[in-house]
């Protein structure tokens, strides 16, 4: 990767990926693109206001800048997707379709995140294998499975270098996530640090989670991996920690003992969470490109509390 374009750069993952990639590949070689102006992303490198659904502007940006790798982070997440399934399909598949077509024309590599939300139906919830039943019943999951298949198609049919991981819930302290089922695992830290009682929308359900630094490293390590070693492409299971709301609550209480949590179940989120894996098996990612997480629940909790306290909210 020499010249990178990140579409959907203003979101939870994009806002940190831009900085991370600029640190590795050089500020001027990482173009951030988003629907909305973003002063932060424009401060230390190129920024383009771009709608990823506008194929000709997207293609023009790739061509004009000599882009050789596209990170497509445009997505409506799981809970929002259930409120407006048609919009979720149009945005999620439209941005992916444009990324793949433009990559085919201009010979770019493409990274598009898949998700634990791609699983569904009668699959093993514990140590969910890389290759298993994937029959999701959310529009987000439908888009993720279709996206994995379409990305593999572009690889085998057109030789587009498509690669992807199935992200767990990503926990971070820079930009808040929005519209996801796993968002509670970020919001809980802000409530704890601000001294507020946290009202949790899901209960007694394990979901995979990952701290942002591991997620950023995973994207780069996969995109830089030796293609000859990849038996899979779209998408790899990756994992680092799995917990229920009670478990993360108790972990935070070890550091903030008077923190309180109560439940008000959101039936949509609870239903989605119960349909997802409890814990992924990431053996293939470990074997094929050396994936290994560096953060666990305890070290992440320390770091999240430190970083959010430093914001003086
Ligand atoms: C969501 O909750 O929708 C996302 C995801 C796990 O893909 N964070």
């Amino acid at each position: 990767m020499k010249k990178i374009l990140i579409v959907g750069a203003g979101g939870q993952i994009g806002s940190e990926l831009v900085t991370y990639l600029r640190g590795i590949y050089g500020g001027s070689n990482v173009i951030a693109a988003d629907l909305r102006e973003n002063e932060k992303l424009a401060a230390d490198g190129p920024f383009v206001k771009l709608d990823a659904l506008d194929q000709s502007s997207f293609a023009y940006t790739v061509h004009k800048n000599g882009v050789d790798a596209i990170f497509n982070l445009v997505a409506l997440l799981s809970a929002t997707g259930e409120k407006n399934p048609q919009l979720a399909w149009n945005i999620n598949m439209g941005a992916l379709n444009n990324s793949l077509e433009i990559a085919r024309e201009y010979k770019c590599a493409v990274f598009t995140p898949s998700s634990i939300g791609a699983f569904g139906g009668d699959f093993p919830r514990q140590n969910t294998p890389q290759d298993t039943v994937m029959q999701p019943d959310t529009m987000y999951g439908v888009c993720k499975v279709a996206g994995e298949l379409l990305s593999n198609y572009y690889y085998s049919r057109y030789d587009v270098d498509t690669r992807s991981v199935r992200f767990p819930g990503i926990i971070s302290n820079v930009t808040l996530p929005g519209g996801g089922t796993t968002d509670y695992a970020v919001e809980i830290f802000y409530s704890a640090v601000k001294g507020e009682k946290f009202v949790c929308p899901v209960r007694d359900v394990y979901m995979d989670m990952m701290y942002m630094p591991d997620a950023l490293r995973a994207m780069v390590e996969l995109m830089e991996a030796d293609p000859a070693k990849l038996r899979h492409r779209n998408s790899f299971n990756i994992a680092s920690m799995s917990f229920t709301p009670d478990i993360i609550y108790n972990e935070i209480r070890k550091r903030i003992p008077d923190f309180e949590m109560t439940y008000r179940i959101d039936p949509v989120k609870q239903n989605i969470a119960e349909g997802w894996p409890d814990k992924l098996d990431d053996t293939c990612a470990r074997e094929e490109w050396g994936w290994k997480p560096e953060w666990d629940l305890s070290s992440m909790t320390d770091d999240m509390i430190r970083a959010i306290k430093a914001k003086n909210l």
Side-chain angles (χ1 to χ4, degrees):
M1 294 191 291
K2 292 196 169 59
K3 200 78 175 193
I4 300 167
L5 173 67
I6 305 176
V7 290
Q12 186 204 14
I13 297 178
S15 55
E16 291 193 54
L17 182 65
V18 170
T19 311
Y20 186 71
L21 293 181
R22 284 180 177 162
I24 298 173
Y25 299 95
S28 60
N29 293 321
V30 179
I31 304 153
D34 199 79
L35 259 184
R36 280 172 280 274
E37 295 289 356
N38 190 314
E39 278 177 23
K40 266 200 191 152
L41 297 179
D44 58 352
F47 176 84
V48 183
K49 190 164 177 281
L50 175 71
D51 179 355
L53 300 185
D54 174 350
Q55 196 175 15
S56 59
S57 304
F58 190 167
Y60 175 75
T61 305
V62 166
H63 180 56
K64 185 178 132 215
N65 294 287
V67 167
D68 66 357
I70 299 169
F71 283 72
N72 165 34
L73 303 180
V74 174
L76 231 64
L77 298 185
S78 54
T80 310
E82 287 316 286
K83 289 195 189 123
N84 199 337
Q86 286 75 26
L87 185 69
W89 173 267
N90 289 341
I91 290 179
N92 296 350
M93 297 312 292
L96 175 61
N97 190 53
N98 284 348
S99 302
L100 293 171
E101 264 305 293
I102 292 163
R104 175 165 81 93
E105 191 171 348
Y106 295 103
K107 312 237 167 310
C108 306
V110 182
F111 177 90
T112 302
S114 185
S115 160
I116 51 173
F119 292 99
D122 190 13
F123 67 97
R125 297 286 195 275
Q126 280 299 324
N127 296 319
T128 303
Q130 171 70 38
D131 301 306
T132 185
V133 172
M134 299 181 86
Q135 294 173 346
D137 55 8
T138 63
M139 181 50 83
Y140 181 65
V142 168
C143 293
K144 289 302 179 192
V145 174
E148 291 189 12
L149 294 172
L150 192 62
S151 300
N152 279 339
Y153 181 82
Y154 268 73
Y155 170 63
S156 55
R157 175 80 198 260
Y158 302 120
D159 208 21
V160 177
D161 186 359
T162 55
R163 307 181 188 194
S164 166
V165 296
R166 294 180 183 134
F167 272 138
I170 306 292
I171 299 176
S172 67
N173 51 58
V174 175
T175 305
L176 283 169
T181 305
T182 57
D183 293 3
Y184 90 86
V186 177
E187 291 156 0
I188 192 171
F189 283 104
Y190 283 85
S191 296
V193 171
K194 288 200 260 176
E196 293 167 358
K197 185 191 250 185
F198 182 61
V199 182
C200 191
V202 293
R203 182 168 205 155
D204 298 334
V205 59
Y206 277 88
M207 284 186 278
D208 276 294
M209 303 279 177
M210 180 172 290
Y211 198 30
M212 183 66 94
D214 272 339
L216 298 174
R217 196 169 44 77
M219 288 185 263
V220 171
E221 285 179 5
L222 174 59
M223 291 308 279
E224 294 291 2
D226 176 357
K229 299 213 169 105
L230 301 181
R231 282 194 310 108
H232 296 83
R233 280 185 165 263
N234 304 282
S235 284
F236 283 95
N237 283 4
I238 55 170
S240 65
M241 61 186 96
S242 168
F243 51 76
T244 63
D246 260 5
I247 292 174
I248 189 169
Y249 169 62
N250 286 317
E251 195 65 33
I252 294 172
R253 279 229 312 174
K254 288 183 198 161
R255 283 103 175 149
I256 306 177
D258 55 359
F259 177 43
E260 286 180 63
M261 179 170 85
T262 168
Y263 290 97
R264 192 184 313 124
I265 301 307
D266 174 329
V268 174
K269 289 189 177 179
Q270 183 72 29
N271 189 42
I272 293 173
E274 284 172 8
W276 285 359
D278 288 356
K279 188 178 178 302
L280 296 186
D281 176 349
D282 60 3
T283 309
C284 291
R286 287 172 186 262
E287 288 176 358
E288 293 176 41
W289 49 279
W291 160 247
K292 195 167 181 289
E294 288 176 356
W295 293 83
D296 61 14
L297 178 58
S298 172
S299 55
M300 177 194 72
T301 303
D302 284 338
D303 202 54
M304 280 294 284
I305 292 174
R306 179 202 56 74
I308 296 172
K309 273 189 178 158
K311 290 177 193 264
N312 291 318
L313 297 170

PDB file of all heavy atoms in Angstrom, residues 119-139:
ATOM      1  N   PHE A 119     -22.792 -13.785  11.283  1.00  0.00           N
ATOM      2  CA  PHE A 119     -23.251 -15.133  11.669  1.00  0.00           C
ATOM      3  C   PHE A 119     -24.733 -15.113  12.011  1.00  0.00           C
ATOM      4  O   PHE A 119     -25.270 -14.093  12.445  1.00  0.00           O
ATOM      5  CB  PHE A 119     -22.445 -15.645  12.869  1.00  0.00           C
ATOM      6  CG  PHE A 119     -21.002 -15.912  12.530  1.00  0.00           C
ATOM      7  CD1 PHE A 119     -20.023 -14.994  12.835  1.00  0.00           C
ATOM      8  CD2 PHE A 119     -20.643 -17.082  11.865  1.00  0.00           C
ATOM      9  CE1 PHE A 119     -18.696 -15.219  12.501  1.00  0.00           C
ATOM     10  CE2 PHE A 119     -19.324 -17.327  11.518  1.00  0.00           C
ATOM     11  CZ  PHE A 119     -18.345 -16.383  11.840  1.00  0.00           C
ATOM     12  N   GLY A 120     -25.363 -16.251  11.854  1.00  0.00           N
ATOM     13  CA  GLY A 120     -26.766 -16.379  12.207  1.00  0.00           C
ATOM     14  C   GLY A 120     -27.246 -17.772  11.840  1.00  0.00           C
ATOM     15  O   GLY A 120     -26.560 -18.489  11.107  1.00  0.00           O
ATOM     16  N   GLY A 121     -28.420 -18.133  12.371  1.00  0.00           N
ATOM     17  CA  GLY A 121     -28.945 -19.478  12.115  1.00  0.00           C
ATOM     18  C   GLY A 121     -28.343 -20.469  13.107  1.00  0.00           C
ATOM     19  O   GLY A 121     -27.958 -20.102  14.215  1.00  0.00           O
ATOM     20  N   ASP A 122     -28.216 -21.715  12.684  1.00  0.00           N
ATOM     21  CA  ASP A 122     -27.805 -22.784  13.594  1.00  0.00           C
ATOM     22  C   ASP A 122     -26.292 -23.019  13.491  1.00  0.00           C
ATOM     23  O   ASP A 122     -25.843 -23.954  12.842  1.00  0.00           O
ATOM     24  CB  ASP A 122     -28.589 -24.053  13.231  1.00  0.00           C
ATOM     25  CG  ASP A 122     -28.397 -25.130  14.278  1.00  0.00           C
ATOM     26  OD1 ASP A 122     -27.875 -24.798  15.359  1.00  0.00           O
ATOM     27  OD2 ASP A 122     -28.766 -26.289  13.991  1.00  0.00           O
ATOM     28  N   PHE A 123     -25.527 -22.151  14.120  1.00  0.00           N
ATOM     29  CA  PHE A 123     -24.064 -22.276  14.083  1.00  0.00           C
ATOM     30  C   PHE A 123     -23.567 -22.412  15.522  1.00  0.00           C
ATOM     31  O   PHE A 123     -24.271 -22.041  16.457  1.00  0.00           O
ATOM     32  CB  PHE A 123     -23.431 -21.034  13.418  1.00  0.00           C
ATOM     33  CG  PHE A 123     -23.613 -19.786  14.235  1.00  0.00           C
ATOM     34  CD1 PHE A 123     -22.613 -19.336  15.094  1.00  0.00           C
ATOM     35  CD2 PHE A 123     -24.797 -19.059  14.179  1.00  0.00           C
ATOM     36  CE1 PHE A 123     -22.786 -18.201  15.869  1.00  0.00           C
ATOM     37  CE2 PHE A 123     -24.971 -17.925  14.965  1.00  0.00           C
ATOM     38  CZ  PHE A 123     -23.970 -17.497  15.806  1.00  0.00           C
ATOM     39  N   PRO A 124     -22.349 -22.944  15.725  1.00  0.00           N
ATOM     40  CA  PRO A 124     -21.834 -23.077  17.093  1.00  0.00           C
ATOM     41  C   PRO A 124     -21.545 -21.706  17.714  1.00  0.00           C
ATOM     42  O   PRO A 124     -20.754 -20.944  17.170  1.00  0.00           O
ATOM     43  CB  PRO A 124     -20.524 -23.864  16.919  1.00  0.00           C
ATOM     44  CG  PRO A 124     -20.508 -24.330  15.509  1.00  0.00           C
ATOM     45  CD  PRO A 124     -21.426 -23.474  14.710  1.00  0.00           C
ATOM     46  N   ARG A 125     -22.202 -21.404  18.831  1.00  0.00           N
ATOM     47  CA  ARG A 125     -22.032 -20.100  19.491  1.00  0.00           C
ATOM     48  C   ARG A 125     -20.666 -19.991  20.186  1.00  0.00           C
ATOM     49  O   ARG A 125     -20.116 -18.920  20.332  1.00  0.00           O
ATOM     50  CB  ARG A 125     -23.116 -19.871  20.563  1.00  0.00           C
ATOM     51  CG  ARG A 125     -24.539 -19.827  20.014  1.00  0.00           C
ATOM     52  CD  ARG A 125     -24.775 -18.508  19.294  1.00  0.00           C
ATOM     53  NE  ARG A 125     -26.169 -18.236  19.039  1.00  0.00           N
ATOM     54  CZ  ARG A 125     -26.859 -18.678  17.994  1.00  0.00           C
ATOM     55  NH1 ARG A 125     -26.296 -19.473  17.108  1.00  0.00           N
ATOM     56  NH2 ARG A 125     -28.120 -18.348  17.827  1.00  0.00           N
ATOM     57  N   GLN A 126     -20.177 -21.138  20.672  1.00  0.00           N
ATOM     58  CA  GLN A 126     -18.885 -21.166  21.364  1.00  0.00           C
ATOM     59  C   GLN A 126     -17.794 -21.515  20.380  1.00  0.00           C
ATOM     60  O   GLN A 126     -17.922 -22.505  19.655  1.00  0.00           O
ATOM     61  CB  GLN A 126     -18.901 -22.236  22.462  1.00  0.00           C
ATOM     62  CG  GLN A 126     -19.590 -21.808  23.742  1.00  0.00           C
ATOM     63  CD  GLN A 126     -18.898 -20.601  24.362  1.00  0.00           C
ATOM     64  OE1 GLN A 126     -17.677 -20.472  24.315  1.00  0.00           O
ATOM     65  NE2 GLN A 126     -19.697 -19.698  24.909  1.00  0.00           N
ATOM     66  N   ASN A 127     -16.695 -20.776  20.384  1.00  0.00           N
ATOM     67  CA  ASN A 127     -15.594 -21.007  19.441  1.00  0.00           C
ATOM     68  C   ASN A 127     -16.124 -21.154  18.021  1.00  0.00           C
ATOM     69  O   ASN A 127     -15.800 -22.116  17.314  1.00  0.00           O
ATOM     70  CB  ASN A 127     -14.781 -22.239  19.857  1.00  0.00           C
ATOM     71  CG  ASN A 127     -14.122 -21.998  21.187  1.00  0.00           C
ATOM     72  OD1 ASN A 127     -13.620 -20.912  21.443  1.00  0.00           O
ATOM     73  ND2 ASN A 127     -14.159 -22.989  22.059  1.00  0.00           N
ATOM     74  N   THR A 128     -16.921 -20.217  17.616  1.00  0.00           N
ATOM     75  CA  THR A 128     -17.520 -20.206  16.277  1.00  0.00           C
ATOM     76  C   THR A 128     -16.421 -20.339  15.221  1.00  0.00           C
ATOM     77  O   THR A 128     -15.508 -19.514  15.150  1.00  0.00           O
ATOM     78  CB  THR A 128     -18.289 -18.879  16.067  1.00  0.00           C
ATOM     79  OG1 THR A 128     -19.252 -18.765  17.113  1.00  0.00           O
ATOM     80  CG2 THR A 128     -18.982 -18.848  14.714  1.00  0.00           C
ATOM     81  N   PRO A 129     -16.481 -21.393  14.399  1.00  0.00           N
ATOM     82  CA  PRO A 129     -15.395 -21.622  13.439  1.00  0.00           C
ATOM     83  C   PRO A 129     -15.359 -20.579  12.323  1.00  0.00           C
ATOM     84  O   PRO A 129     -16.352 -19.884  12.071  1.00  0.00           O
ATOM     85  CB  PRO A 129     -15.722 -23.000  12.839  1.00  0.00           C
ATOM     86  CG  PRO A 129     -16.858 -23.547  13.605  1.00  0.00           C
ATOM     87  CD  PRO A 129     -17.529 -22.423  14.324  1.00  0.00           C
ATOM     88  N   GLN A 130     -14.230 -20.527  11.658  1.00  0.00           N
ATOM     89  CA  GLN A 130     -14.066 -19.647  10.497  1.00  0.00           C
ATOM     90  C   GLN A 130     -15.128 -19.943   9.427  1.00  0.00           C
ATOM     91  O   GLN A 130     -15.767 -19.053   8.888  1.00  0.00           O
ATOM     92  CB  GLN A 130     -12.660 -19.866   9.915  1.00  0.00           C
ATOM     93  CG  GLN A 130     -12.387 -19.197   8.594  1.00  0.00           C
ATOM     94  CD  GLN A 130     -12.306 -17.688   8.714  1.00  0.00           C
ATOM     95  OE1 GLN A 130     -11.782 -17.148   9.684  1.00  0.00           O
ATOM     96  NE2 GLN A 130     -12.836 -16.991   7.715  1.00  0.00           N
ATOM     97  N   ASP A 131     -15.296 -21.233   9.124  1.00  0.00           N
ATOM     98  CA  ASP A 131     -16.228 -21.609   8.056  1.00  0.00           C
ATOM     99  C   ASP A 131     -17.385 -22.393   8.677  1.00  0.00           C
ATOM    100  O   ASP A 131     -17.193 -23.523   9.124  1.00  0.00           O
ATOM    101  CB  ASP A 131     -15.499 -22.472   7.014  1.00  0.00           C
ATOM    102  CG  ASP A 131     -14.322 -21.712   6.406  1.00  0.00           C
ATOM    103  OD1 ASP A 131     -14.530 -20.591   5.914  1.00  0.00           O
ATOM    104  OD2 ASP A 131     -13.186 -22.229   6.463  1.00  0.00           O
ATOM    105  N   THR A 132     -18.553 -21.782   8.710  1.00  0.00           N
ATOM    106  CA  THR A 132     -19.712 -22.432   9.332  1.00  0.00           C
ATOM    107  C   THR A 132     -20.991 -21.834   8.745  1.00  0.00           C
ATOM    108  O   THR A 132     -20.938 -21.048   7.795  1.00  0.00           O
ATOM    109  CB  THR A 132     -19.665 -22.257  10.869  1.00  0.00           C
ATOM    110  OG1 THR A 132     -20.736 -22.984  11.465  1.00  0.00           O
ATOM    111  CG2 THR A 132     -19.788 -20.796  11.285  1.00  0.00           C
ATOM    112  N   VAL A 133     -22.130 -22.224   9.309  1.00  0.00           N
ATOM    113  CA  VAL A 133     -23.417 -21.695   8.842  1.00  0.00           C
ATOM    114  C   VAL A 133     -23.470 -20.177   9.045  1.00  0.00           C
ATOM    115  O   VAL A 133     -23.150 -19.677  10.118  1.00  0.00           O
ATOM    116  CB  VAL A 133     -24.560 -22.350   9.660  1.00  0.00           C
ATOM    117  CG1 VAL A 133     -25.906 -21.695   9.348  1.00  0.00           C
ATOM    118  CG2 VAL A 133     -24.612 -23.840   9.402  1.00  0.00           C
ATOM    119  N   MET A 134     -23.863 -19.446   8.017  1.00  0.00           N
ATOM    120  CA  MET A 134     -24.013 -17.989   8.132  1.00  0.00           C
ATOM    121  C   MET A 134     -25.347 -17.594   7.543  1.00  0.00           C
ATOM    122  O   MET A 134     -25.464 -17.347   6.336  1.00  0.00           O
ATOM    123  CB  MET A 134     -22.855 -17.275   7.419  1.00  0.00           C
ATOM    124  CG  MET A 134     -21.516 -17.637   8.031  1.00  0.00           C
ATOM    125  SD  MET A 134     -20.125 -16.825   7.263  1.00  0.00           S
ATOM    126  CE  MET A 134     -20.099 -15.301   8.174  1.00  0.00           C
ATOM    127  N   GLN A 135     -26.383 -17.622   8.393  1.00  0.00           N
ATOM    128  CA  GLN A 135     -27.733 -17.267   7.947  1.00  0.00           C
ATOM    129  C   GLN A 135     -28.307 -16.196   8.855  1.00  0.00           C
ATOM    130  O   GLN A 135     -29.230 -16.449   9.633  1.00  0.00           O
ATOM    131  CB  GLN A 135     -28.609 -18.516   7.938  1.00  0.00           C
ATOM    132  CG  GLN A 135     -28.149 -19.518   6.904  1.00  0.00           C
ATOM    133  CD  GLN A 135     -28.904 -20.832   6.986  1.00  0.00           C
ATOM    134  OE1 GLN A 135     -29.606 -21.112   7.962  1.00  0.00           O
ATOM    135  NE2 GLN A 135     -28.747 -21.654   5.974  1.00  0.00           N
ATOM    136  N   PRO A 136     -27.734 -14.989   8.802  1.00  0.00           N
ATOM    137  CA  PRO A 136     -28.165 -13.928   9.717  1.00  0.00           C
ATOM    138  C   PRO A 136     -29.600 -13.502   9.450  1.00  0.00           C
ATOM    139  O   PRO A 136     -30.076 -13.608   8.328  1.00  0.00           O
ATOM    140  CB  PRO A 136     -27.194 -12.783   9.398  1.00  0.00           C
ATOM    141  CG  PRO A 136     -26.754 -13.027   7.999  1.00  0.00           C
ATOM    142  CD  PRO A 136     -26.732 -14.515   7.827  1.00  0.00           C
ATOM    143  N   ASP A 137     -30.269 -13.011  10.526  1.00  0.00           N
ATOM    144  CA  ASP A 137     -31.631 -12.515  10.309  1.00  0.00           C
ATOM    145  C   ASP A 137     -31.731 -11.016  10.572  1.00  0.00           C
ATOM    146  O   ASP A 137     -32.793 -10.503  10.881  1.00  0.00           O
ATOM    147  CB  ASP A 137     -32.649 -13.313  11.143  1.00  0.00           C
ATOM    148  CG  ASP A 137     -32.291 -13.315  12.606  1.00  0.00           C
ATOM    149  OD1 ASP A 137     -31.353 -12.586  12.981  1.00  0.00           O
ATOM    150  OD2 ASP A 137     -32.955 -14.018  13.382  1.00  0.00           O
ATOM    151  N   THR A 138     -30.598 -10.314  10.467  1.00  0.00           N
ATOM    152  CA  THR A 138     -30.651  -8.839  10.484  1.00  0.00           C
ATOM    153  C   THR A 138     -30.210  -8.353   9.112  1.00  0.00           C
ATOM    154  O   THR A 138     -29.444  -9.031   8.420  1.00  0.00           O
ATOM    155  CB  THR A 138     -29.664  -8.240  11.515  1.00  0.00           C
ATOM    156  OG1 THR A 138     -28.328  -8.590  11.128  1.00  0.00           O
ATOM    157  CG2 THR A 138     -29.948  -8.731  12.916  1.00  0.00           C
ATOM    158  N   MET A 139     -30.648  -7.138   8.742  1.00  0.00           N
ATOM    159  CA  MET A 139     -30.214  -6.586   7.453  1.00  0.00           C
ATOM    160  C   MET A 139     -28.711  -6.327   7.459  1.00  0.00           C
ATOM    161  O   MET A 139     -28.030  -6.526   6.450  1.00  0.00           O
ATOM    162  CB  MET A 139     -30.996  -5.305   7.153  1.00  0.00           C
ATOM    163  CG  MET A 139     -30.625  -4.669   5.837  1.00  0.00           C
ATOM    164  SD  MET A 139     -30.627  -5.836   4.443  1.00  0.00           S
ATOM    165  CE  MET A 139     -32.359  -5.852   4.002  1.00  0.00           C
TER     166      MET A 139
END
